[in-house]
Amino acid sequence: MPKKPIKEKIYAKGVEIGIYTTDFQNEFISLTDIARYKSDEPNDVIRNWMRNRDTIEFLGLWESLHNPNFKPVEFDGFRNQAGLNAFTMSPTKWISGVNAIGIVSKSGRWGGTFAHSDIAFEFASWISAEFKLYIIKDYKRLKSDENSRLSLNWNLNREVAKLNYRIHTDAIKQNLIPPELTQEQIVYTYANEADLLNVALFGQTAKQWRDANPGKKGNMRDEATIQQLLVLANMESYNAILIEQGKTQSERLVLLHDLAIKQLETIESLSVQHLPQIQGDDKLI
């Protein structure tokens, strides 16, 4: 299920610059808005920047670090041509050519060319070092505001998930684990039930996530969004009830998966501005 982008604005020297995120970890900033600081033809400014060999090298390195589906062979073709008088490059050509994810071309009222903040700051440096500093200043202000809204809520929901996990494991101990099991068997049963929730919510087991993310510390729940943690808390309580009702694991997987879909759809449909406040200006999202 694609996540609904959360849109904001930052300001630099009187220029309004669009920014959005889908996970509150990776922000995409409008190159089109940044380019308007230099010219009334922002698309031409972006294309001229992308013609440079240094730009192509930087974009290729960023994609190789963050994009498992990056096409290095196609990138080498662009790199060999970059800087030549006949070489042209555009966002759509780059995206389709190397399967890029760091630059996004959007249509509609909120349309234009957006780039990951790493790339956007590089572009801003090319436009103007002074202008880049103004962008970073307001970007930090936005992140500070975001952290004040999110940090308390993330930790709160993480603790709620832990509390419900205790209720959940108690139900497993009382209803699924017969006496005379070894400690190893008990641990295996807990892990199996945890993976039931993982599959129902995340579509994979903990081991599958670790195998797919060898460089990350922690686990998939540490990487979860606030929305997912909130649903996880509800799923753990619901699973405890289903266990007490004697539902089989296969039956519970279907019911838990349906619950996850319905609750995530409901949460995604809510507007951040209309959610209740929990303390001061902090909002649940």
Side-chain angles (χ1 to χ4, degrees):
M1 181 193 308
K3 297 177 181 178
K4 184 178 180 180
I6 304 300
K7 303 171 184 177
E8 296 279 0
K9 296 284 187 180
I10 56 177
Y11 299 87
K13 299 194 73 175
V15 177
E16 183 181 88
I17 302 170
I19 178 172
Y20 75 88
T21 182
T22 58
D23 58 8
F24 292 101
Q25 298 180 41
N26 298 286
E27 288 83 15
F28 284 76
I29 302 174
S30 173
L31 299 188
T32 304
D33 291 341
I34 294 175
R36 288 196 175 99
Y37 176 75
K38 186 172 184 178
S39 171
D40 291 333
E41 298 294 336
N43 292 334
D44 291 342
V45 175
I46 295 170
R47 284 193 289 266
N48 287 336
W49 174 66
M50 296 186 72
R51 290 185 66 248
N52 295 331
R53 184 177 182 86
D54 288 345
T55 300
I56 294 298
E57 292 275 7
F58 176 81
L59 294 177
L61 176 59
W62 191 95
E63 294 290 340
S64 67
L65 291 173
H66 299 91
N67 182 3
N69 297 314
F70 178 55
K71 298 178 179 179
V73 175
E74 288 77 359
F75 164 68
D76 285 339
F78 287 151
R79 180 170 55 183
N80 292 335
Q81 299 174 52
L84 300 177
N85 291 337
F87 178 68
T88 61
M89 180 56 69
S90 68
T92 53
K93 182 178 179 180
W94 173 253
I95 294 167
S96 61
V98 301
N99 198 31
I101 61 173
I103 291 181
V104 178
S105 182
K106 299 176 72 69
S107 59
R109 186 170 62 89
W110 245 72
T113 300
F114 287 76
H116 189 277
S117 56
D118 296 342
I119 298 171
F121 292 146
E122 185 75 11
F123 176 61
S125 292
W126 183 77
I127 295 289
S128 163
E130 178 188 11
F131 188 51
K132 174 188 176 181
L133 292 177
Y134 278 98
I135 293 175
I136 291 176
K137 180 180 179 181
D138 204 52
Y139 175 78
K140 288 182 177 179
R141 186 271 313 163
L142 177 66
K143 293 296 291 180
S144 177
D145 291 347
E146 175 187 300
N147 288 336
S148 68
R149 295 196 308 265
L150 297 183
S151 59
L152 174 62
N153 297 293
W154 195 96
N155 290 324
L156 174 63
N157 281 286
R158 186 68 164 134
E159 291 306 313
V160 169
K162 290 179 180 178
L163 177 61
N164 277 277
Y165 183 73
R166 178 60 181 271
I167 298 172
H168 175 226
T169 52
D170 285 347
I172 295 170
K173 184 176 180 180
Q174 294 171 11
N175 296 278
L176 290 186
I177 303 176
E180 299 181 3
L181 282 177
T182 65
Q183 186 61 35
E184 182 180 356
Q185 289 173 318
I186 294 174
V187 172
Y188 176 80
T189 303
Y190 283 147
N192 197 26
E193 282 300 309
D195 267 341
L196 177 72
L197 297 176
N198 290 336
V199 172
L201 180 58
F202 302 106
Q204 58 185 331
T205 66
K207 183 179 185 304
Q208 289 171 334
W209 185 90
R210 289 193 301 271
D211 291 342
N213 300 274
K216 290 187 177 181
K217 297 180 180 180
N219 54 55
M220 71 172 71
R221 300 187 183 194
D222 292 324
E223 298 286 333
T225 65
I226 295 173
Q227 293 92 332
Q228 288 173 323
L229 288 173
L230 183 60
V231 172
L232 178 62
N234 294 333
M235 290 173 65
E236 287 174 334
S237 295
Y238 185 43
N239 193 36
I241 294 172
L242 295 177
I243 290 170
E244 291 173 354
Q245 292 176 348
K247 298 289 187 183
T248 66
Q249 192 171 81
S250 59
E251 290 174 330
R252 286 185 283 113
L253 178 60
V254 173
L255 292 170
L256 290 165
H257 182 63
D258 289 344
L259 176 70
I261 291 175
K262 290 176 183 177
Q263 292 202 353
L264 285 171
E265 286 178 345
T266 299
I267 292 173
E268 291 290 343
S269 68
L270 294 176
S271 169
V272 174
Q273 289 78 12
H274 293 90
L275 288 175
Q277 295 184 352
I278 63 171
Q279 187 179 68
D281 293 330
D282 294 334
K283 298 177 182 177
L284 286 173
I285 64 171

